[in-house]
Amino acid sequence: MSQHEQELECERAYVAGLYERLDAERGRVESRYSEALRGTGASAMERDVEVRAQHRELKRLGVADHGLCFGRLDSVDGEARYIGRIGLFDEDDDYRPMLLDWRAPAARPFYTATAASPEDMRRRRQLHTRGRQVTGFTDEVLGRPDGESDGDAALLAAVNAPRGEGMRDIVATIQAEQDRIIRLDHQGVLVIEGGPGTGKTVVALHRVAYLLYTQRERMERSGVLVVGPNPAFLNHIGRVLPSLGESDVVFATTGDLVPGLHVTAEDVPEVARLKGSRKALDVLRAAVAERQGVPEEPRHVELEDVTVRIDAATAEWARQEARDSGLPHNEARAVFTEIVTYVLTERAIGRIGKGWLTRENKEVWENLRADLLAELAEHTGFTEVLDDLWPVLTPQQLLADLYSSPERLRAVGEESLHRAEGAAWTVSDVPLLDELVDLLGEVKTTGTATDAEQAAEAEYAAGVMEILQTERHDLMDDEDHLLAQDLVRSEDLAERFVEHDTRDVAERAAADRDWTYRHVVVDEAQELSEMDWRVLMRRCPTRSFTVVGDLAQRRSAAGAHTWAGMLDRYVPGRWAYRELTVNYRTPAEIMEVAAALLADFAPEVTPPDSVRSCGVQPWHREVSECGMASAIEEFDRQEAAREGTSVVIGPRGVPGAVLPAETKGLEFDAVLVVEPARILAEGDRGVAELYVALTRATQRLGVVHAEPLPEVLSLLSS
């Protein structure tokens, strides 16, 4: 048996021992989980806490069935460290580490040591596995005098492998540039920018896994929000964090950020730009103010003994007092009602007691006032007048009424927002609806939770308050008082969560508009508008963000032109910028074509360097309009015979093609781009979308067109 075969057998034996240890630990946790479900000798609250804890541990152990151990580090002094998805310890040997979690500090050299800078390591070994079986290994000798390295084999094998249905984690092949970002010690907003294929999304997700590992207690209390551009993208990345053992995560698009709504429709660019700008705040405030009325003619209320009137002067006084209270619209209605009621009762008493009743008869006066107040409280006509002058409004009701009424839009100065169906929501409406929750205020209902039920979640509430209090000095309120609704009392927070609510953190957070997350990840962040950012800042008052994007790929008319323009308002001096420069996905042959387009519309941007070639030149083929369908069918047929994934990308109206925006953040082995000239016809937005389409392929790129091929794609072979 050769030395290589002997070492392979040793590695197989060691990994088999790790799986034995994993199975034993899983068996113990399953036993504790079953006991917790039975709840013998424990209160209901203690049982619920234990059930959740053991269930989380089961999920953590469950992710390690595949790829439990993927590497080994040998130090210069002979120590061997095995690296894997989770940490395992030998209970029979004073809890000696058998397997290091990839996030542990001692595992970091596995990603950062190089031939030139070995960090006291002499060898890095990549283990290749299938299921629980070690099939081989690749060694990289560190500390060579010439500084050369043969450590790219595992990386190239990973990037060249056929694509599956979802994004894969890169825990076994994290590169030094990526690792520095994943482990960066920065408490504010971290912006990660990188061109296509640089791995910025997967780096951001691994950073979340790292933060959850290093800040477990605080992060688990509030969970993490991951915001992506579309549902397909979220499905694509949705396996990464669970594969790393993390599940307290809410995935959402910007169209999902108001509970109960799932919006995907888009506005035309001009309307999206207006709704996404801070000018929309003035429109919303004007729309609310427009619903706070003053009667043109006096409104009469017929009481049992007298008829009283609400005139313009009375309503104007009441309106001003209500506005000056600083309360949201629905809550300020009480102030408006109080002033109007005071005037009406004064007038009624004056008429009823004319000639005989004075204020000196205090008891009679107050008794009569009490009778009048009771009558007004039950008076349908009075309520109808109040509803006309100061209606209770929901965000959906106010915005739908605004959009469908030319008169109301004229009153707020934005007639361009008119649409026949006011409630036909678009993604640009979601941040406006969220803003209106604060401007209008919620209609509070009487709760039924007991003191004991409120105490059941006191620990959770206290944890959130701890986050808010310890970092409150970092919060920067802007001129619009964005944070006025963020700093809730722990008693109010605890009321939302009672003992019988067995949902996990992610389920609770997704259903609660007022939930505040410990950390937020924003992918394709260049697409978010100023109003989108206001929503997200409300969701994370500690301002802990990982922001991922590429300004060169911006397609939204309301999106970011600079990161400072979006972030300085909220976190001046608290955001850091890191750039990824290496393209691991797009082969050099394809990136050369995309880079020519990039140089044409964004010459100031440097394209990322591709680490590999695929050996296949991207091509174009001119067809007749009648032959387009056949060309697409031929592509689909050829790719169906190959391993991997493929997609046809084209402008709206091409049968069998998806829009470029629907492929943002995704990757495929083969891509066929249809009618690039029609994509480009949409101006700046179209150029960005064509750039996205050209950079989705990992192996093969083709272009078919009936219209002339744009000159910028002249590098394509015929």
Side-chain angles (χ1 to χ4, degrees), residues 144-202:
R144 290 179 174 178
D146 58 8
E148 293 181 356
S149 169
D150 56 358
D152 291 336
L155 171 64
L156 292 177
V159 298
N160 280 313
R163 264 49 196 168
E165 293 303 317
M167 178 178 283
R168 298 168 294 187
D169 66 65
I170 57 168
V171 64
T173 58
I174 293 171
Q175 301 302 293
E177 178 186 59
Q178 299 169 330
D179 187 79
R180 285 191 292 271
I181 295 174
I182 290 170
R183 300 175 193 260
L184 183 66
D185 183 15
H186 180 72
Q187 300 302 312
V189 176
L190 173 63
V191 176
I192 306 172
E193 184 162 26
T198 54
K200 53 187 179 294
T201 296
V202 74

Side-chain angles (χ1 to χ4, degrees), residues 21 27 48 299 399 457 477 583 611:
R21 176 74 187 86
D48 185 47
R299 303 288 296 273
L399 206 55
E457 291 291 341
D477 192 359
N583 188 333
V611 299

Side-chain angles (χ1 to χ4, degrees), residues 12 23 52 83 103 109 118 174 204 296 322 330 341 357 378 380 389 392 401 416 424 442 446 459 553 571:
R12 285 172 174 166
D23 291 339
R52 292 183 188 182
I83 315 298
R103 296 164 288 194
I174 293 171
E296 294 182 3
N330 289 334
T341 302
L357 180 61
E378 301 294 331
T380 303
L389 298 180
V392 174
D401 289 349
S416 63
E442 297 180 292
T446 303
E459 181 181 357
Q553 295 187 56
V571 283

Side-chain angles (χ1 to χ4, degrees), residues 81-160:
R81 307 176 192 174
Y82 284 86
I83 315 298
R85 293 182 177 277
I86 64 173
L88 291 175
F89 301 88
D90 188 345
E91 295 180 353
D92 299 327
D93 188 9
D94 198 25
Y95 284 88
R96 174 184 61 85
M98 297 176 64
L99 183 67
L100 287 175
D101 189 299
W102 67 274
R103 296 164 288 194
R108 182 167 188 171
F110 185 77
Y111 303 109
T112 58
T114 65
S117 179
E119 301 186 30
D120 294 326
M121 298 295 150
R122 67 177 182 84
R123 182 174 64 182
R124 172 170 40 226
R125 171 169 288 178
Q126 296 272 356
L127 298 179
H128 312 310
T129 61
R130 182 180 296 112
R132 292 189 167 201
Q133 182 70 24
V134 178
T135 60
F137 61 81
T138 303
D139 282 345
E140 177 185 1
V141 178
L142 303 172
R144 290 179 174 178
D146 58 8
E148 293 181 356
S149 169
D150 56 358
D152 291 336
L155 171 64
L156 292 177
V159 298
N160 280 313

